[in-house]
Amino acid sequence: MSSEHGGAIHSVLIENRSFPPSAEFASRARVGSIEEYERLWTRAKDDPEGFWGEIAACLTWSKPWSRVLDWQPPHARWFVDATLNAAENCVDRHCVGANRNKAAIIWEGEPGDRRVLRYQDLERETAKLANVLKRFGVRPGDVVAIYMPLVPEAVVAMLACARIGAPHTVVFGGFSAEALAGRIQDCGAKVLLTADGGWRRGKIVPLKEQADLALATCPTVENVIVYQRTAHKVGFEPGRDHWWHEVTAEASPDCPPVAVDSEHPLFILYTSGSTGKPKGILHTTGGYLVGCHATTGWVFDLRDDDTYFCTADIGWITGHSYVVYGPLARGATVVLYEGAPNWPDEARFWKIIEDYRVSILYTAPTAIRAFMKWGEQYPLRHDLSSLRLLGTVGEPINPEAWIWYQRVIGGGRCPIVDTWWQTETGAIMISPLPGATPTVPGSATRPLPGVVPEIVTKDGKPVPVGHGGLLVIKQPWPAMLRTLHGDDDRYRATYWSEIDGCYFTGDGARRDENGNYWILGRVDDVLNVAGHRLSTMEIESALVSHARVAEAAVVGRPDDIRGQAIVAFVTLESGQSPSEAVRQELRAHVVKEIGALARPDDIRFSESLPKTRSGKIMRRLLRDVAAGRETVGDTSTIEDFSVLARLRSDDEV
Ligand code: PRX
């Protein structure tokens, strides 16, 4: 946590509009009044084991638990001694009755190709791929890496791993070869599932090419299974590389799901923290799946006849919990779209909603702000009357974007669920229940049942109502992360040492007099750029790994569409002079090291960086500089921080 926040966060946003659920929505909803929500929440707080024990009956277990929770802070075991299989819960159990012919995945590729996988198709494809993985020596506990475009096979890949108890690690297709290699090396994956490429804005994303570069430094990967999506020519290493369609064609569709312990790892998902190296967030099977199933029901009020469209990629936690595990555990119909929202034009999402009669849309504030900028004419061209519920996730939503979303996309009739949660929390933590909670633009409103948050100073003292502070969670919950892969010390230090006895979220928040939570953003060195989480230090390490760079500091600058933009202050090695060419070279270097999502928007050269006497970079000052001035047009300009640095003392940082 950076010292500058210290728990005293100034909050300026005042928003008084409140929208109660309509009587019609409430009458059909699972939780239909605020009193019912409050009863559930209080029951869960007072008797978490009784509460979650009842909720967990929603899953199919192979063996029941002996205890609901074993809590040895900061380590939790949920549904102790029970066994189950996540793929069986998400697929097989829906194939026994009429739902076997229900659409599990309705997919649309960016070029316009379409496919529907019914639950029984998903079962067959998953079982075949699982048999292939077994043939390649994957055993329960072995990690499988997934680096794929958003095609149905990406979901099949995750579920095939789950079927045989092999934890998956999905790496977003926008990450570079270096980033992929780092993640594979950290988790020691044995097999890589990838594709020749994917489609994005009419161009091929060269996944196999990046994978080949990565694999040069990943000796643990013995076999690579390549899904053919773009059919352009790619390198192929005989013995190591196999075409997906060839190996699965020979595979048996019969592969019984392996019942694993409730605490068996389901996946590792890497995310950025406040130090250079990404963290491998470890989620296990029983608690995670209970959390996803329960929250999908409460928050999306998902019903059998819904058509649900979550726009996240499976490379992020939203894709794990609310494209795959939550909705499929409930037997829902999920719409998947491979490409960009503005391809071939800015109406793509609205066309998808009209074509498939989507009833629930879950997307990110950054996308909503882009839709606003593109203009109402695009959604107005399409019939969006099938929508009944809207959701947002990933960053605070400004009230203006919220109101636009409600009016233009929701036609004034759809409740909006602003869902606060994190890769670490596994499932939604703070959100309205659409039939119960009055919504307030910009507020994620109230904690879900089983979630006990508090807002505290850095000494752990609760702050008064209306004051900003640090958001912590006081009780364990089933979908919580269990540790960081291979680094339990960092797990303890990052989440459980800042505030005594509590899970520290890294976010600042405020609670108003109505009990609504307002998330104020990160209080650590984590950026949120277009809903993607990035570490300033990760970008700094990428920059200093370039031979010309002596030192670098990266900060966020407010950005109207993407929430934050990336600004890097760079000191070059002596003898190097700043120029536009060097600036471009450094931007390209960051793309190579991490991926295009981390490309600095602005690189400013400086002869030295402003530091405190103890050597800490004065980030607040850099943030002010980054926010307050236009991009320097003269490429040779050098910022001079030496005077400022001398004027500031350590306490002021
Ligand atoms: O700062 C919060 C912000 O996103 C962070 C978590 O990022 P990540 O692990 O990538 O997960 C994103 C998808 C769950 C949080 O610490 N955040 C997420 N949702 C919201 C939010 N900030 C405000 N309002 C939200 N609804």
Side-chain angles (χ1 to χ4, degrees):
M1 184 190 338
S2 49
S3 59
E4 63 201 86
H5 288 282
I9 294 165
H10 188 53
S11 160
V12 288
L13 183 66
I14 305 288
E15 172 64 57
N16 294 319
R17 285 170 287 191
S18 170
F19 298 86
S22 71
E24 196 213 331
F25 198 103
S27 68
R28 285 191 60 200
R30 275 195 184 80
V31 182
S33 70
I34 195 77
E35 293 75 28
E36 201 180 332
Y37 153 77
E38 275 164 0
R39 267 197 305 279
L40 272 176
W41 190 83
T42 308
R43 157 95 214 281
K45 177 173 175 286
D46 295 345
D47 176 22
E49 294 193 42
F51 177 80
W52 286 114
E54 279 168 31
I55 297 279
C58 61
L59 297 185
T60 302
W61 299 85
S62 305
K63 190 176 136 213
W65 49 90
S66 57
R67 267 176 81 180
V68 170
L69 172 64
D70 175 23
W71 178 225
Q72 312 284 338
H75 293 115
R77 291 194 305 146
W78 283 90
F79 311 108
V80 182
D81 297 326
T83 65
L84 77 166
N85 183 280
E88 179 182 6
N89 273 281
C90 290
V91 185
D92 300 36
R93 65 172 177 156
H94 309 310
C95 290
V96 288
N99 273 355
R100 69 185 185 282
N101 280 320
K102 182 175 177 181
I105 296 174
I106 297 177
W107 174 80
E108 194 169 291
E110 197 190 68
D113 39 345
R114 297 174 165 193
R115 282 167 60 201
V116 176
L117 269 77
R118 303 166 303 159
Y119 270 96
Q120 57 174 314
D121 302 323
L122 197 54
E123 183 181 38
R124 188 186 57 245
E125 297 308 315
T126 300
K128 282 176 147 190
L129 185 65
N131 274 328
V132 172
L133 292 173
K134 283 205 283 196
R135 201 188 102 205
F136 287 141
V138 177
R139 302 278 165 260
D142 290 344
V143 181
V144 172
I146 300 175
Y147 183 60
M148 292 189 67
L150 201 50
V151 291
E153 281 67 19
V155 179
V156 169
M158 292 165 76
L159 293 168
C161 293
R163 194 169 194 84
I164 58 171
H168 53 70
T169 189
V170 183
V171 180
F172 173 56
F175 279 116
S176 69
E178 311 278 340
L180 173 63
R183 286 156 171 80
I184 292 179
Q185 286 157 5
D186 190 75
C187 66
K190 207 166 171 178
V191 168
L192 172 67
L193 301 173
T194 186
D196 49 359
W199 291 107
R200 185 92 190 162
R201 289 202 182 84
K203 294 208 184 74
I204 289 176
V205 182
L207 294 170
K208 179 63 165 58
E209 200 181 298
Q210 293 294 310
D212 284 340
L213 288 170
L215 291 177
T217 57
C218 298
T220 56
V221 175
E222 294 160 6
N223 288 286
V224 180
I225 304 176
V226 187
Y227 178 73
Q228 193 171 46
R229 166 75 187 126
T230 47
H232 70 295
K233 195 163 166 38
V234 292
F236 222 74
E237 198 177 297
R240 186 196 72 180
D241 297 352
H242 316 269
W243 284 114
W244 188 298
H245 55 274
E246 288 177 7
V247 285
T248 51
E250 301 154 9
S252 156
D254 186 21
C255 178
V258 177
V260 297
D261 190 272
S262 177
E263 285 301 330
H264 187 75
L266 179 61
F267 63 86
I268 299 164
L269 183 59
Y270 287 86
T271 188
S272 296
S274 49
T275 64
K277 202 166 151 265
K279 302 181 284 196
I281 307 291
L282 182 87
H283 282 289
T284 58
T285 309
Y288 172 78
L289 211 56
V290 167
C292 289
H293 187 281
T295 51
T296 308
W298 286 323
V299 176
F300 298 115
D301 198 39
L302 203 60
R303 327 215 130 248
D304 215 26
D305 56 355
D306 273 315
T307 303
Y308 165 91
F309 180 22
C310 167
T311 65
D313 189 274
I314 53 145
W316 309 111
I317 191 69
T318 307
H320 283 61
S321 303
Y322 299 108
V323 171
V324 181
Y325 290 109
L328 296 182
R330 282 194 173 269
T333 295
V334 176
V335 173
L336 268 191
Y337 167 59
E338 176 189 31
N342 53 351
W343 188 268
D345 68 16
E346 283 73 7
R348 188 65 184 264
F349 278 11
W350 321 125
K351 183 169 179 333
I352 289 173
I353 289 168
E354 175 173 354
D355 285 354
Y356 303 106
R357 308 296 296 151
V358 169
S359 55
I360 301 174
L361 173 68
Y362 190 31
T363 193
T366 185
I368 298 165
R369 290 190 296 262
F371 302 147
M372 281 174 76
K373 185 174 142 225
W374 296 336
E376 288 181 28
Q377 67 274 25
Y378 295 105
L380 288 178
R381 256 194 236 158
H382 292 278
D383 175 8
L384 305 182
S385 62
S386 56
L387 287 170
R388 69 178 193 94
L389 177 64
L390 304 174
T392 76
V393 59
E395 51 183 318
I397 180 164
N398 44 315
E400 193 196 353
W402 195 103
I403 293 286
W404 187 91
Y405 195 33
Q406 192 212 39
R407 179 176 62 82
V408 180
I409 306 306
R413 72 181 179 278
C414 304
I416 295 181
V417 287
D418 173 356
T419 62
W420 176 86
W421 58 297
Q422 309 177 296
T423 306
E424 291 87 343
T425 69
I428 297 169
M429 302 288 276
I430 303 180
S431 166
L433 303 191
T437 318
T439 54
V440 184
S443 168
T445 72
R446 310 279 288 265
L448 295 191
V451 176
V452 186
E454 188 150 70
I455 300 172
V456 299
T457 63
K458 68 176 181 191
D459 307 320
K461 298 201 178 59
V463 300
V465 166
H467 288 242
L470 307 170
L471 179 64
V472 298
I473 311 290
K474 291 172 67 179
Q475 289 184 5
W477 64 101
M480 65 192 275
L481 80 166
R482 298 303 193 258
T483 187
L484 295 179
H485 175 71
D487 200 348
D488 198 55
D489 289 343
R490 191 174 172 199
Y491 167 70
R492 289 171 181 273
T494 310
Y495 304 107
W496 300 94
S497 304
E498 295 283 358
I499 307 293
D500 207 25
C502 293
Y503 168 81
F504 174 60
T505 63
D507 277 337
R510 163 176 85 81
R511 199 162 84 106
D512 68 20
E513 60 285 359
N514 300 317
N516 288 326
Y517 284 79
W518 299 77
I519 308 297
L520 304 172
R522 303 288 307 196
V523 298
D524 53 12
D525 294 320
V526 171
L527 299 182
N528 196 327
V529 179
H532 296 152
R533 186 163 153 181
L534 291 165
S535 148
T536 52
M537 294 195 200
E538 209 177 326
I539 306 172
E540 286 163 9
S541 333
L543 284 164
V544 296
S545 73
H546 192 283
R548 293 190 203 275
V549 176
E551 211 174 17
V554 169
V555 295
R557 173 183 74 200
D559 182 273
D560 282 350
I561 305 283
R562 293 176 304 148
Q564 285 187 303
I566 303 169
V567 180
F569 292 87
V570 168
T571 305
L572 295 174
E573 289 285 359
S574 59
Q576 299 284 342
S577 18
S579 68
E580 189 54 33
V582 173
R583 184 175 279 138
Q584 293 311 333
E585 195 178 313
L586 297 183
R587 293 177 88 219
H589 183 69
V590 174
V591 173
K592 178 174 158 287
E593 292 292 310
I594 304 174
L597 70 174
R599 182 191 285 123
D601 295 273
D602 194 359
I603 292 183
R604 295 175 171 218
F605 296 107
S606 153
E607 251 167 18
S608 62
L609 293 173
K611 290 195 188 133
T612 63
R613 277 190 297 254
S614 58
K616 274 178 67 179
I617 292 173
M618 299 161 92
R619 288 176 179 279
R620 190 173 70 186
L621 169 63
L622 291 180
R623 274 196 287 266
D624 290 347
V625 173
R629 280 202 231 149
E630 290 304 306
T631 309
V632 182
D634 173 2
T635 53
S636 61
T637 301
I638 296 185
E639 320 260 2
D640 181 7
F641 292 121
S642 53
V643 181
L644 280 167
R646 278 200 298 275
L647 289 175
R648 301 233 173 181
S649 73
D650 283 12
D651 315 333
E652 282 177 304
V653 177

